[in-house]
Amino acid sequence: MSADVSEAVRLIESVIRNLGLDPSSAVIPGDAATKAFALKRGSARVVVAVHATDAGGTFRVLSPCVRLDAKTSPDLYKHLLELNAREIVGAAFGIFGDEVVVVAERSVKDLDESEVEAAIRTVGRIGDRYDDALSQQFGVKRSSD
């Protein structure tokens, strides 16, 4: 692991402690190139991860919101793009497998603790707000259900 990746992990663990949680109890088992943590914000799950790459590494925060299925209205996709363009700041909606997710990502180079905290809080807030709203508006199941 590069020094930048190790520092990013240290910053994440510090922010998790500042949120009143024990980072060791939040660890998600994974491969040697990735260190990940699972948190909760209201009804939303928030995954915080650092992934070592040949180019250095990435810091990513992701919150699954709702599950997609064959009956999902195409209007949901249009709505997500409109939210990305109009309301969402510091993160974006995307599709990961069969789920709508909120995601923020950046390089680990020059990452600081305030950026880690802001990303975790932003993605968690958006995930918690929109899992219920999208479920109700489009008749899809929340990822947390």
Side-chain angles (χ1 to χ4, degrees):
M1 241 184 234
S2 73
D4 286 336
V5 170
S6 295
E7 176 62 7
V9 171
R10 188 194 67 73
L11 292 170
I12 292 166
E13 289 173 341
S14 176
V15 168
I16 291 171
R17 269 190 227 83
N18 290 342
L19 294 171
L21 303 169
D22 175 15
S24 63
S25 67
V27 170
I28 301 171
D31 62 37
T34 303
K35 180 81 172 194
F37 304 86
L39 311 172
K40 286 287 278 184
R41 166 79 188 248
S43 58
R45 186 172 56 117
V46 179
V47 176
V48 183
V50 176
H51 182 73
T53 66
D54 291 339
T58 57
F59 163 68
R60 174 179 271 206
V61 183
L62 181 138
S63 180
C65 291
V66 295
R67 296 180 196 275
L68 303 171
D69 61 33
K71 298 178 284 182
T72 301
S73 169
D75 293 340
L76 171 63
Y77 303 105
K78 180 179 185 229
H79 183 69
L80 295 173
L81 290 172
E82 289 172 345
L83 288 171
N84 282 345
R86 190 179 59 236
E87 291 183 31
I88 305 302
V89 177
F93 283 106
I95 306 297
F96 188 80
D98 66 347
E99 293 182 299
V100 171
V101 298
V102 181
V103 65
E105 181 177 281
R106 63 153 288 178
S107 166
V108 296
K109 183 153 182 61
D110 299 324
L111 184 66
D112 69 37
E113 192 164 331
S114 67
E115 293 172 305
V116 171
E117 182 176 357
I120 291 170
R121 289 186 182 279
T122 297
V123 169
R125 177 182 42 78
I126 294 167
D128 187 41
R129 174 179 176 193
Y130 284 100
D131 65 347
D132 294 319
L134 295 171
S135 176
Q136 291 170 2
Q137 185 173 353
F138 294 97
V140 290
K141 287 185 90 168
R142 294 184 317 171
S143 292
S144 61
D145 290 343

